[in-house]
Amino acid sequence: MSERSNWSSRIGFILASAGAAVGLGAIWKFPYLAGSNGGSVFMFPYIVLSFTIGLTLLIAEVAIGRTGKGSIVTAYRSIGGKNWVGWGYLGVLTGFCVLCFYSAIGGWTISYFIDAVLGNGLVANQNELNAHFGALVSNPYISIGYQALFLFLTAWVVAYDISKGIERISKILMPLLFVLVLIVIIRGLMLPGSEKGLAYLFSWNPEAFSWQSLLAAMGFTFFSLCVGCGCMLTYGSYLPKNSNLIGSCAWITFLATIASILGGLMIMPSVFAFDLNPAAGPGLTFMTMPVVFAQLPMGQIFAIVFYLCLVVAALTSSVSQLELVVAFFVDELKMNRTLAVTLISLVMLFVGSFCGLSFGPLADFKIAGRTVFDNFDYFTSNLSLPIGGLVVCMLVGVKQWSMMRDEIRMGSDASLSAMQVFRFLLTICCPLLILVVLITGL
């Protein structure tokens, strides 16, 4: 086997990892969670949790990858021993399952982008919008076709060497994403009444606080930083030993958090300017924003930019999920990268098509009262991701603390007292919050 690849630059690792973390979470999930959970009373706890609990977990997971120098299974075996290998397989399964249902949403983003380019879908009537979305998901040829296109784009990036594929595309797509987001934000803030959206996001209103908003912020913290499944571990395995792990992870956390806030700024001012419902739920992006664009001067141009943002965000995250699975096949099964990408993508398309069809022909097919899509989402979000986070806490903070402490400090000037604070967060605070998320999720 050839020598394992490395990131060619620190900025490449940071942008690729930020892309994995940002994903659809920033533009699709954050706005509707903020809208449904009181705006600022959701956002402020999310920011605090991201730079404490989230950053701690991220550092620990990346450190495992850099130490183990391999896929999640390889790293867990190398650091924890054979008894930890099973948790590595759970991580691979999580990445596979996430991309199976995530690719369906990715396909929708491409569909809406193409509609925007053609001038379709900019409809102010909510019933027509519902019918438009229903036509997309109920036609198996169209929905699976877009899902296949999204997986093909993902596979095309991952098939290349890590520095020539994921790193190179991240250096282009991440700056592009932030520029496009800023364009939409500036246009939204120019609308009369947009200040109400700003107030909703940033005005501190302690009377609106609820435990539900705090729990939502906890869950989104883990989701937004992509910790628990092994994506960041896999990216960490390509880090050279002399890199500043703590500083890089701090930058990733900063970029992911800023991206989420910008995602809120893309949508909330426009939603309030047109007196739409900020608590519209998961449909806020796909079912509400077309109403905004339909009423904007040059709305088609801004719709194109907005849905291009969604496509870019979805792609930067999906490549990390596919890389997680591909790294296992390359490191453990010694498979050629191109062959591994091809086989995995085809299997993902087959399995993932059942997730995509859950909104159309298979809408009435349910297991435990949930559709195939919902079961994949439930398994990963409510079970395997929190469990994966707990495994990271125990492996780094308890099982191999002395070794991992030195690994984390390598390349930085972190003091031993700072590492004790880090260990307290990792072994006490993180597990407690993860258990709360896990129990409430169940």
Side-chain angles (χ1 to χ4, degrees), residues 13 53-72 75-76 79 91 222 225-237 239 245 249 321 324 385 387-393 395-397 404 407-408 422 426:
F13 164 68
I53 303 303
L55 177 58
T56 299
L57 270 174
L58 179 61
I59 291 172
E61 188 168 319
V62 172
I64 293 174
R66 191 172 71 171
T67 305
K69 277 297 175 190
S71 71
I72 186 170
Y76 278 2
I79 298 171
F222 303 132
L225 289 175
C226 200
V227 290
C229 60
C231 291
M232 293 306 189
L233 184 156
T234 306
Y235 277 9
S237 70
L239 264 181
L245 191 151
C249 289
Q321 300 290 343
L324 162 62
L385 280 171
I387 291 172
L390 288 173
V391 171
V392 169
C393 292
L395 182 57
V396 175
M404 297 307 299
E407 178 71 32
I408 292 168
F422 175 87
L426 188 64

Side-chain angles (χ1 to χ4, degrees), residues 237-281:
S237 70
Y238 301 114
L239 264 181
K241 282 288 187 183
N242 61 350
S243 59
N244 185 335
L245 191 151
I246 296 175
S248 297
C249 289
W251 268 108
I252 294 166
T253 304
F254 172 76
L255 291 174
T257 306
I258 286 294
S260 293
I261 295 171
L262 292 178
L265 287 172
M266 283 182 76
I267 292 179
M268 283 304 160
S270 299
V271 166
F272 276 85
F274 288 102
D275 292 321
L276 300 173
N277 181 16

Side-chain angles (χ1 to χ4, degrees), residues 48 94 343:
V48 173
T94 300
L343 290 177

